[in-house]
Amino acid sequence: MFVRLVYESFRRQKRRKLLAGAAITLGVTVATAMIAVATDVGDKINRELRTIGANLIVTPQEDSLDVEIGGVNLTPPTDGAFLNEADLPKIKGMYWRNNILGFAPMLPANVALQHGGEAQDTTLLGTYFARQVSFGKESFVTGVRTTHPWWKVLGAWPDDNSRDVLLGQRLATRLGNKPGDEIMISGRRVRVSGILSTGGSEDEQIVAPLALAQEILGRPGAVRRMYVSALTKPEDAFARRDPKSMSGKVYDRWYCSPYPQSIAYQLQEAIPHSHAEQIRQVAQNEGAVLTRIEGLIFLITLAALLASALAVSAAMATAIFERRAEVGLMKALGAGKLAVASVFFAEAAMPALLGGLVGFVAGGLLARQIGQSIFNSQIAIQPVLLPVILMIAVLVTFSGSAVAIRRAVGLDPVFALRGEL
Amino acid sequence: VSVPTPYVARDLAASRGNVPHPSMFVRMLVRAAVLRRGRATSALLAMVVAAAVATAMLNLYVDVQAKLRREFRNYGANIIVAGKNGAALPADTFARVSSLLARRGLAAPFALVVARTNEGQPLIVAGADFDRVRQLDRWWLVSNWPSAPREALVGVRALSVVSPKKQPFDLSFQGHTIHLTPAGTLRTGAAEDSRVFLSLPDFVSWTGVRPSTIEVAANGSPEEVAAIMSQLEQALPSADVRPVRQIMEGEARVFGKTRSTLLAATALIILTAALCVLSTLTGWVFDRRRDFAIMKALGASGRLLNSFFAAEAVALGATGALIGFVLGIGIAAWIGRVNFHAPVVPRFSVLPIVLAGSMLVTLLSAILPISLLRRVQPAVILRGE
């Protein structure tokens, strides 16, 4: 009898049930899409924040002071220690290797630039532009084009294996050089492939492939410092603790969290005789901005869940209210409160599950669309979330129906049947 | 339980005709709300929640942009004013920059020289206005800011060169020597770590070199920052004014993406809320088909019926929107406090939008069922078919 009641209600009230189902589907779609966006937005914004530049710097352990003023390097060229270029790819062997988006080694060298018969002292900066580096079986491309995305080149980027250079914008204006010109640097003839504009001290310098700078310095394999761009987690009190003072378990937890500090620590482990540190201007503010945006999207997701719960419960309430005559009849025939309530709950469960399923798929598509159009990358919804979403859908539908069902159960059959409520 | 039908019947009979008595019209509206309290309340509730959510989202959408811009200003300067080819800036430059900026940003002057330690090691020494630097470069990790004259702030890498035991040290520049006490250490992870910072008065009296760089953190949207830049360029023909592209471009990207996400979320939420109101109200009006049928049977014109249900919808929409607006402002303020630790200012410009939107949705949800019912004979409705 119970089954027949529920079955007949679906058969006869197709339009009503469809409407309730549509409301649930819509609610679940919005909820799923927002949950997917909220869980992924941190990672997406983190990647966008990386456009501000590298957040970690690796220097030799025994480093001399940087004496660079207005783009001119005053450090004696042979002074101080160097990192070994061959050690750099080892970064990709560390625990958080997948969080390392790119790195760029730097080697400044003082050069004499021949111009119009006289020599001018300038700094030549050797680096990777977009160089193919391999570690083990893995191969990846890294360089300033990843770590310094605001660098703009008029002309072409030089090839990392060539002897082409970039000329800083202000230097080029002063010398009157254009892309394609040839210049003499410390007795070597090189081609200017492009004019570099950064807004920083590089505008006064020459930027060349790392190998050329090493050759000029006469130090093969030498690197002065390295910029690393890594995805990190906002720093908290735990992140700032000294790893040496930690016990085994706490240390493991610290080591396996992508804090700027723990990634710097692992960089130091990976590269011999190095010192790694966060660039505080980038790393500190990144954490603050990221926390704010994540918090905002989280709170908005709560609002979206509230709105969709409301939509579902409003639809359910209307559906049940319209059937008060039926409730009156059931009660007049002797049905108890429990029987009436269980019929309605059973009827609510069906559209909730079906709407939840359809809404989950639609929400996944919607999230994908949002990811594609805003971030140009996928926002994937985890299939693990399906049971959770379904449970939420049923729960919200039930709680939305609860008030209406309680009122329906409490109806006086006489008034209900006369249609006076 | 009271039965509305007799009232409606008697009063309608008294004022039969196409021109409704104003007080009768109002009474019908009020009665409809009072007698079906439960249903009217649930419809109003849906309206209130929808309006509250919409208000909160619109308010946040406008305000969060200003809040995020402020977060980004913690990245420090976005404009650099420098002397052409490394020359010092004219003496009045900083005063002109400050007065031009007024309250639209912060500026801090810096002067740089290469000095030598007693051992002859070259070292960059900078003169800075510490009070301004503290506000501008918030990421500087400083153990103790200098306060007395001849106190220096020493970068962590410079420390091992000039004062490994934190003892007082001497620096010389073009034959002039200055005796300094390290007040604290500075850590930034960048070039500042290898420098020694002095207060500007100490620096100028020692070296005689005036500031060559002014870092400016200009507030506002990219257009406002560009306007400040061009004003600076015009006011300071002898200086280079250039943007810090790294900061500006990063900010623009992150900001744009966040705003788009926020917009998408706002649109989704408002759409859901509007559909929820639509479905609730449609059900409500449809439920009152008996009232409709009786009024029609007693000879009410189509125009009267339309205006009756429209007035009802507008009243409901307006009431719901007003209550929801107040609630929504509260929600937005709460989110602002929790997430940004700063209140979200109520935007009253949102009110007309919410009000108009609410009334539009309620009107729409009244028109749909009415246009369906109009085609049906009153007798069919009254017989309950």
Side-chain angles (χ1 to χ4, degrees), chain A residues 229-270:
Chain A
S229 178
L231 293 179
T232 59
K233 183 176 163 181
E235 160 183 323
D236 51 26
F238 179 57
R240 282 188 283 268
R241 279 177 59 182
D242 180 15
K244 288 191 193 84
S245 70
M246 290 177 192
S247 64
K249 241 196 185 130
V250 181
Y251 174 79
D252 285 347
R253 191 157 70 83
W254 182 83
Y255 193 88
C256 299
S257 308
Y259 294 122
Q261 282 89 343
S262 47
I263 293 188
Y265 185 80
Q266 289 169 23
L267 282 170
Q268 244 161 262
E269 284 182 336

Side-chain angles (χ1 to χ4, degrees), chain B residues 77-91:
Chain B
N78 47 9
I79 301 172
I80 302 275
V81 178
K84 287 213 161 100
N85 297 326
L89 291 163

Side-chain angles (χ1 to χ4, degrees), chain B residues 108-172:
Chain B
F110 287 93
L112 296 176
V113 293
V114 179
R116 285 186 186 271
T117 62
N118 278 346
E119 291 76 38
Q121 161 97 35
L123 176 78
I124 293 186
V125 181
D129 182 332
F130 289 126
D131 285 339
R132 289 175 181 277
V133 170
R134 274 175 97 149
Q135 293 173 46
L136 189 73
D137 298 336
R138 288 164 186 270
W139 66 91
W140 282 24
L141 187 64
V142 172
S143 61
N144 180 36
W145 288 89
S147 48
R150 312 231 146 193
E151 279 191 338
L153 183 62
V154 186
V156 280
R157 284 168 64 191
L159 192 69
S160 59
V161 174
V162 295
S163 161
K165 296 192 200 76
K166 300 209 173 169
Q167 78 277 26
F169 56 94
D170 291 335
L171 289 175
S172 61

Side-chain angles (χ1 to χ4, degrees), chain B residues 6-17 24 298-299:
Chain B
Y7 295 98
V8 176
R10 197 185 61 216
D11 290 343
L12 258 182
S15 64
R16 185 169 291 199
M24 175 63 210
L298 288 175

Side-chain angles (χ1 to χ4, degrees), chain A residues 76-78 82 107-110 188 212-220 222:
Chain A
T78 50
F82 294 96
L107 179 68
N110 294 338
R188 292 168 179 80
L212 185 64
Q214 289 168 344
E215 184 192 306
I216 290 172
L217 269 187
R219 282 189 170 266

